[in-house]
Amino acid sequence: LYFLGQRKTQGNFFYFPVAFLLKTPLSVIHLFVLLLVSMWLKKYKLHVLAKMTLYTFPILYFLYALFTDMTLGQRYLVPVYPFLFVFLGGSINLFRQSVIKKIVVGGFLLWFVISSVLIYPDYLAYFNELAGGPRGGIRYLGDSNLDWGQDLKRLKPWLEEHHVQEIKLGYFGTALPQYYGIQFQWLPSVGFLNDQAGTKLIHEGDYLAVSATCLQGFYFENMEQYNFLKNFEPIDHIGYTIYLYHITPDRLRDK
């Protein structure tokens, strides 16, 4: 388990609240808060049976999740979202109340649509603005919240486009790099058939492709074995899960 930059060996009470806050579009969270405030002010009312239907299961399920060790990803909160979106459907009622509310609700809906379009096709790696967007997610959560090896198939086209003949690869995932015709040498990697000790010999001029999960290091006995890459600026990214490095002096970060 990778949580807020640290490896955890057991569940954490705050894992799912943080995952919900960082992986749910802010437009949805704002709209949810707006409806709660409207209900508190009695501007938006629900029948008691609707309340029981919409509230009971998601609240009990979320509370159960807080105290379990199934903290492997925000995907375990998926059963909550249908109830949330049905509840948010009530925002349509706010359209009827004033021009200002129409503008506010319409703005949140437009924000949701735009964020959904911009993240295509990298939905798995979505993080909202609180996390710094999908590029910032690597600092907070790992595994299925960000990286399941989904970008490997895009590595071969990048190598061809940039005329890189061979690369050293630190990969997290179950796809086989050989299948995609990638000429590579293993770095320490994780993922069933891809569990590899790999080489630790890095030379000036080497090109490296390293998965976000490998950079986080939480599946390795030595979490810090990729820490040396913090000294180098990536030359590119493939999706949001594979970081490309060229080990040359001009790529060193300023201290």
Side-chain angles (χ1 to χ4, degrees):
L1 164 63
Y2 182 83
F3 182 55
L4 302 181
Q6 297 180 334
R7 173 165 50 194
K8 305 290 185 182
T9 57
Q10 57 186 7
N12 186 290
F13 179 84
F14 297 102
Y15 182 88
F16 282 116
V18 170
F20 179 84
L21 286 174
L22 298 183
K23 294 280 290 178
T24 303
L26 280 183
S27 54
V28 171
I29 294 175
H30 280 87
L31 198 52
F32 178 60
V33 172
L34 176 64
L35 283 179
L36 290 180
V37 171
S38 296
M39 292 183 69
W40 182 62
L41 296 175
K42 303 189 183 304
K43 302 291 185 180
Y44 173 54
K45 298 180 181 179
L46 281 177
H47 189 275
V48 63
L49 182 59
K51 289 181 180 179
M52 290 179 61
T53 304
L54 286 176
Y55 298 168
T56 305
F57 173 80
I59 290 175
L60 290 178
Y61 182 89
F62 200 97
L63 288 174
Y64 169 74
L66 294 178
F67 296 97
T68 68
D69 287 332
M70 61 180 188
T71 49
L72 292 175
Q74 182 238 13
R75 69 185 190 274
Y76 286 100
L77 291 181
V78 166
V80 170
Y81 282 92
F83 294 88
L84 174 61
F85 287 125
V86 170
F87 177 72
L88 294 183
S91 62
I92 294 176
N93 288 325
L94 299 180
F95 271 99
R96 305 170 184 170
Q97 296 181 15
S98 72
V99 174
I100 293 178
K101 287 185 178 180
K102 289 180 181 179
I103 294 173
V104 171
V105 173
F108 287 144
L109 295 177
L110 180 61
W111 184 3
F112 177 80
V113 170
I114 291 174
S115 63
S116 299
V117 171
L118 291 179
I119 193 62
Y120 174 85
D122 301 296
Y123 296 113
L124 182 65
Y126 175 83
F127 281 82
N128 63 32
E129 293 82 352
L130 284 177
R135 192 67 67 207
I138 190 173
R139 299 192 298 267
Y140 303 102
L141 300 169
D143 204 82
S144 62
N145 294 298
L146 173 66
D147 177 18
W148 259 3
Q150 66 267 25
D151 289 318
L152 182 66
K153 63 184 178 182
R154 298 156 73 176
L155 178 57
K156 175 68 170 179
W158 186 94
L159 295 174
E160 292 176 342
E161 179 183 349
H162 294 84
H163 309 291
V164 177
Q165 299 301 315
E166 185 177 63
I167 198 160
K168 291 183 175 178
L169 176 63
Y171 176 60
F172 170 74
T174 59
L176 299 177
Q178 300 90 329
Y179 175 81
Y180 296 106
I182 298 170
Q183 298 296 317
F184 72 101
Q185 182 180 3
W186 281 115
L187 293 169
S189 299
V190 181
F192 298 101
L193 295 177
N194 293 330
D195 282 344
Q196 301 286 336
T199 182
K200 293 184 173 122
L201 296 176
I202 307 297
H203 305 289
E204 184 174 331
D206 282 347
Y207 283 91
L208 277 59
V210 184
S211 291
T213 299
C214 292
L215 291 174
Q216 291 172 330
F218 64 98
Y219 278 124
F220 298 122
E221 183 176 348
N222 175 18
M223 277 189 70
E224 299 180 350
Q225 62 185 316
Y226 280 106
N227 276 9
F228 73 95
L229 288 176
K230 293 180 180 179
N231 297 319
F232 291 88
E233 192 74 36
I235 58 172
D236 207 347
H237 307 82
I238 298 179
Y240 295 101
T241 69
I242 295 181
Y243 289 70
L244 284 303
Y245 298 89
H246 191 199
I247 306 302
T248 56
D250 63 300
R251 300 305 301 179
L252 283 168
R253 296 182 189 269
D254 295 330
K255 298 293 184 182

